[in-house]
Amino acid sequence: MTAEKPNELSYNPHMPLSQALLLPRIVIENTLPTLEGGQFAVKAVVGQDVVVTSKVFADGHDKLAVRVRWRAEGDEVWQSEVMADLGNNGWQGQFRVESQGRYVFCIEAWIDQFASFRYELEKKHAALVPVSLELQEGRLHVQQAAERAEGQLSEDLAALHHELSGLLETEQVALFLHQRSAELMAQADHRAYLSLSPEYPVDVERQLAQFASWYELFPRSITDDPKRHGTFNDVHSRLPMIQDMGFDVLYFTPIHPIGRAHR
């Protein structure tokens, strides 16, 4: 296992079964943007969207739910966004950094049991395979979700279960595949086999740190009098011209006393 895996256990062929069972079902690896597996912070600028990609996969054919989580360092609350499935175990998401300072992000993934159920149900129904057992399984999913949910969500799921119990098979399939059913079940998802990647740092700088046009000058040389060297006041008179040429950063060479001989 690579250094980016969210645990310290690694597989070897002589591992006892009891220890092998502790290995996570979900693998999260090759996460970008990172430097040396997160030892160093990547750079971003204020207002930038940080695009995150990762390889996330599990044993079997279950559907995964993958999200990118982030927060400013010092904040207690994490924000998150759904990552899109790119195929070949690739996932992509993004988040926006709104202020200067250190941010951290990570990947979280879990087995989406209801999405797995919906996928199999849709395939079997389209192939005219009997789905009575699948519908029974689906109603059990909804019932268990209603029992672990609270408040209005629990009531909505209980109503969905009641509605399903009174429908014909084709109507049940349509209701299970409806977007509203997926949204309700996602809110009550207990996130089976939840896995987290390590946290990766991002240093956010001001926007000028991303790109700037630098103009280098020697203050000592900015003078129209051969009897004296230039001063910062002389440099002030040149600033409008430098700005009109499109430069936005003024770079001074090191300023220090010099001798009079061999100048």
Side-chain angles (χ1 to χ4, degrees), residues 217 219-220 222 229-237 239 252 255:
L217 59 75
R220 188 174 64 247
I222 308 300
H229 63 74
T231 66
F232 284 124
N233 287 333
D234 296 308
V235 173
H236 292 166
S237 65
L239 294 180
F252 294 148
I255 300 171

Side-chain angles (χ1 to χ4, degrees), residues 60-186:
H61 302 283
D62 289 316
K63 293 295 181 180
L64 298 179
V66 185
R67 300 180 73 94
V68 55
R69 306 171 73 223
W70 76 94
R71 63 178 175 84
E73 195 171 68
D75 289 352
E76 295 183 359
V77 179
W78 287 86
Q79 302 181 67
S80 67
E81 283 290 341
V82 174
M83 297 184 72
D85 186 354
L86 303 179
N88 281 341
N89 302 322
W91 296 80
Q92 177 175 300
Q94 64 184 41
F95 62 93
R96 178 164 295 185
V97 289
E98 302 288 359
S99 59
Q100 287 182 239
R102 173 66 62 92
Y103 281 71
V104 290
F105 75 91
C106 67
I107 309 297
E108 63 176 356
W110 62 92
I111 303 294
D112 191 333
Q113 294 178 327
F114 190 69
S116 301
F117 158 76
R118 279 163 45 98
Y119 175 78
E120 294 180 3
L121 175 65
E122 184 175 19
K123 291 295 185 182
K124 291 183 178 181
H125 181 69
L128 302 180
V129 174
V131 293
S132 58
L133 290 179
E134 283 74 12
L135 294 175
Q136 181 179 345
E137 175 191 353
R139 292 194 300 272
L140 182 60
H141 275 304
V142 176
Q143 179 183 349
Q144 292 173 342
E147 291 172 351
R148 64 174 173 263
E150 298 179 350
Q152 186 60 49
L153 177 59
S154 178
E155 295 178 11
D156 292 342
L157 287 167
L160 174 62
H161 181 266
H162 179 74
E163 184 178 1
L164 286 165
S165 301
L167 296 177
L168 299 176
E169 283 196 0
T170 302
E171 295 171 329
Q172 287 187 61
V173 171
L175 186 54
F176 274 124
L177 299 181
H178 195 278
Q179 183 63 27
R180 172 62 175 165
S181 301
E183 292 173 354
L184 287 174
M185 290 297 289

